[in-house]
Amino acid sequence: MNNREALREKIIGLGERSLRKTYYPELQEKLAELERFRALLDQSNDCIFLLSIPSLRLVDANESACRQLGYSRQELLSLSLAELAPAEALATVQRLVAANGGKEASQEMLTTVLLRHNGGNFPAEITLRLVSFDRERYGVAVARDITERLRGEEALRTQFSQISTIFDSLNALVYVADLESGRFLYMNRYGMAMFGDDWAEKSCRSLFPEGECGPCSYYGSDRLVREGEPLPPLESESFNKITGRWYRCIDRAVRWTDGRLVRIEIAVDITEFKEIERLKDEMISAVSHEMRTPLTAVLGFTELLLEGIVEPADQKTHLATVYREAERLSRLVNNFIDLQRMRTGQQLYTFRDIAVHPLLAEVIGQFAGVSPIHRLTLDCPEELPAVRGDGERLREVVINLISNAVKYSPKGGIVAVAGRCDGEHVIISVRDEGIGIPPELLGMIFERFYRVDNTDRRPFGGAGLGLAVVWEIVTAHGGRVWVESAPGQGSTFFVQLPAEKQ
Ligand code: ADP
């Protein structure tokens, strides 16, 4: 009797080899049971093999194995596992068998491919279990075709990578955290830069400490969930003391893949926006303050003049003051409007060839008589190459520089305006003998609304707009502006503009 028959007999209980007549009904019942058992195995969509150990030859196989591998049962039973699976899978099976030392094993699982009769193959997950009887060892292998599962997993991976790409490209923090513990479940790249690569070990509270009005502790689960259902999203703005930045956050509860409710948060860094808002407020108060001073002077002096009680000799001085203050007011308003236009991209420039000498001479003429303690000089060759620019805007540049030179040299002195050409560029400079600028602030004075605000400068007033306007205009002309200065030793501002080819 060969092994296979012995096995069948063992299964149906004929191991005792008793053939007594009284045994027949029982035998029939056992046979029927065996047929039912085979029918059941044949019903399965999994390929089921019985392998002899250690040869790994197939001793039995179900209907599904024949169908999926493309063999008849007879053909299959002449094969060994080596002809149905690649070498590495075979090696794994052999390792399992060897490791088990012949004892019945708990289940082992491996993922491999099974080779079809027609040369094709399909991915399979094989569960292998060792059994033994009659001192013989067998392997029961149940192989499941996992083509669909792998396809599904691949589709999921693609979907996840698409969604990750979208979230990773956002310039905002996106995370998912457990509602109660705050432990992170997902973090986009922006978030990883904040929380580190080991974010999975952390909780959102590490960035929003207890008691902080940060989004994480601010929105308790009661504000995101009611009666087990997610509430509409909540929006908030908050300052985070740890990062030192402002965030606009959208928080909501969503159902996570494992069914529990979790918090998803999108937080956009709005620090710059907040800074602009703060600067705007500061600017409005500085501009309104700045407007009041010249207006008071204009109103006061014109009132005096209208009353007719001013000596004729003083009238001219009073009128000069009115003119100077009105001019200051007009410059302030012009700067303000210019900057607004530049910020919104509405400033339009009309470029033509501008002769530099007449422009400088005209602006200096405008300042004549404005300050009796300052002497304005001009050192510029008349034949200096023209620059391509907007004459009106370039005038504003020079006016702002000269008026600063006058303003920040309260003891008077020379304000030297010069123009020269270094071949490719025309360089206009305005030098004064005033209070100078501390070195650490040299890089900041061109910023919008920036004022060097220390006590010795407070009396000068100003809204911090002039140099920002200068910077915007010069940059729009493809030029450069910079300053050389030292406290107490005056300042020289340089404007470099591309020279027109002659
Ligand atoms: P404002 O003069 O209205 O404050 P500006 O933008 O023209 O604004 O100048 C910015 C700051 O740069 C001023 O507050 C001042 O402290 C400094 N500054 C500008 N020009 C000079 C200068 N010629 N000498 C010394 N400091 C200057």
Side-chain angles (χ1 to χ4, degrees):
M1 190 184 302
N2 65 27
N3 272 345
R4 187 156 176 259
E5 282 164 7
L7 179 63
R8 276 169 178 263
E9 286 191 2
K10 163 124 184 186
I11 292 171
I12 59 174
L14 293 180
E16 303 308 316
R17 292 172 174 269
S18 167
L19 289 173
R20 271 179 293 128
K21 277 221 166 142
T22 52
Y23 200 78
Y24 280 137
E26 204 181 325
L27 173 67
Q28 294 229 294
E29 202 181 299
K30 291 278 182 188
L31 277 172
E33 197 180 308
L34 180 66
E35 286 316 308
R36 277 201 305 275
F37 182 58
R38 168 158 296 285
L40 199 66
L41 294 185
D42 285 347
Q43 275 302 306
S44 169
N45 276 331
D46 295 338
C47 307
I48 305 172
F49 312 103
L50 192 64
L51 305 167
S52 123
I53 302 281
S55 69
L56 298 184
R57 295 207 72 77
L58 270 69
V59 181
D60 206 347
N62 71 343
E63 178 55 37
S64 189
C66 303
R67 190 170 17 89
Q68 293 189 51
L69 293 165
Y71 291 99
S72 70
R73 194 188 301 266
Q74 225 50 46
E75 284 168 331
L76 261 190
L77 299 190
S78 66
L79 300 178
S80 102
L81 191 62
E83 287 147 292
L84 296 174
E88 62 272 16
L90 211 65
T92 312
V93 172
Q94 276 158 349
R95 240 190 342 269
L96 285 177
V97 170
N100 236 278
K103 279 181 237 92
E104 292 201 3
S106 56
Q107 282 189 170
E108 297 284 355
M109 204 176 263
L110 72 143
T111 306
T112 180
V113 289
L114 285 182
L115 312 174
R116 289 198 168 103
H117 194 192
N118 63 8
N121 62 51
F122 62 91
E125 188 178 79
I126 302 182
T127 310
L128 184 75
R129 191 187 162 85
L130 298 187
V131 293
S132 60
F133 72 91
D134 224 8
R135 287 191 217 97
E136 294 281 350
R137 294 164 66 213
Y138 295 90
V140 182
V142 180
R144 174 160 298 176
D145 183 343
I146 53 170
T147 312
E148 283 310 312
R149 198 179 84 193
L150 291 184
R151 215 172 272 152
E153 282 172 3
E154 182 56 31
L156 264 182
R157 259 196 301 278
T158 313
Q159 244 174 27
F160 184 77
S161 110
Q162 283 167 346
I163 290 171
S164 296
T165 310
I166 295 170
F167 283 144
D168 282 347
S169 66
L170 290 181
N171 196 24
L173 163 70
V174 181
Y175 73 76
V176 176
D178 184 87
L179 262 186
E180 301 311 324
S181 68
R183 189 163 274 266
F184 290 126
L185 300 164
Y186 168 81
M187 176 76 62
N188 73 341
R189 188 165 298 166
Y190 187 97
M192 287 184 209
M194 288 169 78
F195 292 94
D197 286 346
D198 56 344
W199 55 269
E201 305 298 313
K202 294 181 178 166
S203 129
C204 62
R205 296 196 177 119
S206 59
L207 210 63
F208 302 108
E210 223 49 58
E212 261 314 302
C213 205
C216 190
S217 47
Y218 185 56
Y219 290 136
S221 46
D222 53 321
R223 300 199 54 194
L224 299 172
V225 180
R226 183 166 309 140
E227 289 163 11
E229 288 306 315
L231 288 169
L234 288 174
E235 284 189 38
S236 65
E237 271 183 20
S238 61
F239 179 73
N240 186 298
K241 278 191 193 160
I242 294 184
T243 59
R245 302 194 71 83
W246 278 93
Y247 298 94
R248 178 171 296 136
C249 308
I250 303 174
D251 277 77
R252 77 168 306 167
V254 291
R255 212 162 280 286
W256 197 235
T257 42
D258 55 10
R260 70 180 137 160
L261 280 171
V262 295
R263 166 208 307 278
I264 177 160
E265 179 175 293
I266 302 177
V268 182
D269 188 330
I270 53 163
T271 314
E272 319 284 277
F273 173 77
K274 281 279 181 192
E275 180 62 9
I276 289 173
E277 268 189 355
R278 189 186 64 77
L279 284 173
K280 237 190 209 165
D281 291 348
E282 245 177 44
M283 182 202 67
I284 288 170
S285 77
V287 169
S288 30
H289 175 82
E290 275 303 290
M291 282 176 143
R292 196 179 297 145
T293 323
L295 264 182
T296 313
V298 168
L299 286 174
F301 281 104
T302 41
E303 206 178 320
L304 268 184
L305 290 165
L306 281 173
E307 280 172 6
I309 50 170
V310 179
E311 293 297 318
D314 294 332
Q315 282 182 6
K316 204 171 168 208
T317 332
H318 285 3
L319 273 174
T321 312
V322 170
Y323 178 81
R324 194 175 57 238
E325 294 301 321
E327 219 265 335
R328 187 170 149 195
L329 195 58
S330 135
R331 197 162 50 245
L332 180 71
V333 174
N334 280 344
N335 281 341
F336 185 61
I337 293 171
D338 279 355
L339 262 191
Q340 287 298 100
R341 282 206 205 121
M342 288 163 190
R343 248 190 73 190
T344 51
Q346 289 170 349
Q347 178 68 287
L348 297 177
Y349 293 88
T350 316
F351 287 92
R352 27 177 91 91
D353 285 355
I354 307 292
V356 179
H357 183 276
L359 183 132
L360 298 180
E362 190 222 313
V363 178
I364 286 178
Q366 214 178 304
F367 276 87
V370 162
S371 164
I373 55 169
H374 291 91
R375 191 159 68 82
L376 271 70
T377 64
L378 175 60
D379 174 14
C380 175
E382 282 186 25
E383 65 286 1
L384 200 69
V387 291
R388 187 99 190 127
D390 183 318
E392 200 42 47
R393 301 276 92 81
L394 290 179
R395 265 184 79 244
E396 272 177 56
V397 167
V398 183
I399 290 174
N400 275 322
L401 293 180
I402 297 181
S403 72
N404 273 351
V406 171
K407 180 159 117 186
Y408 295 106
S409 44
K411 293 190 183 135
I414 293 172
V415 173
V417 181
R420 64 186 167 87
C421 178
D422 69 358
E424 283 178 45
H425 308 103
V426 165
I427 298 157
I428 298 167
S429 59
V430 179
R431 178 165 53 80
D432 64 58
E433 301 173 333
I435 59 173
I437 302 165
E440 67 276 14
L441 300 175
L442 286 176
M444 298 159 85
I445 54 172
F446 294 101
E447 279 173 26
R448 208 179 297 160
F449 315 129
Y450 186 81
R451 310 208 55 247
V452 176
D453 193 16
N454 51 23
T455 17
D456 27 321
R457 279 164 192 270
R458 237 163 240 155
F460 296 111
L465 299 177
L467 288 182
V469 169
V470 167
W471 190 89
E472 297 271 359
I473 295 176
V474 174
T475 310
H477 279 72
R480 210 158 69 78
V481 53
W482 71 100
V483 60
E484 288 171 6
S485 179
Q489 292 175 32
S491 313
T492 309
F493 283 81
F494 298 89
V495 170
Q496 176 187 285
L497 298 164
E500 275 296 284
K501 302 265 175 312
Q502 279 178 320

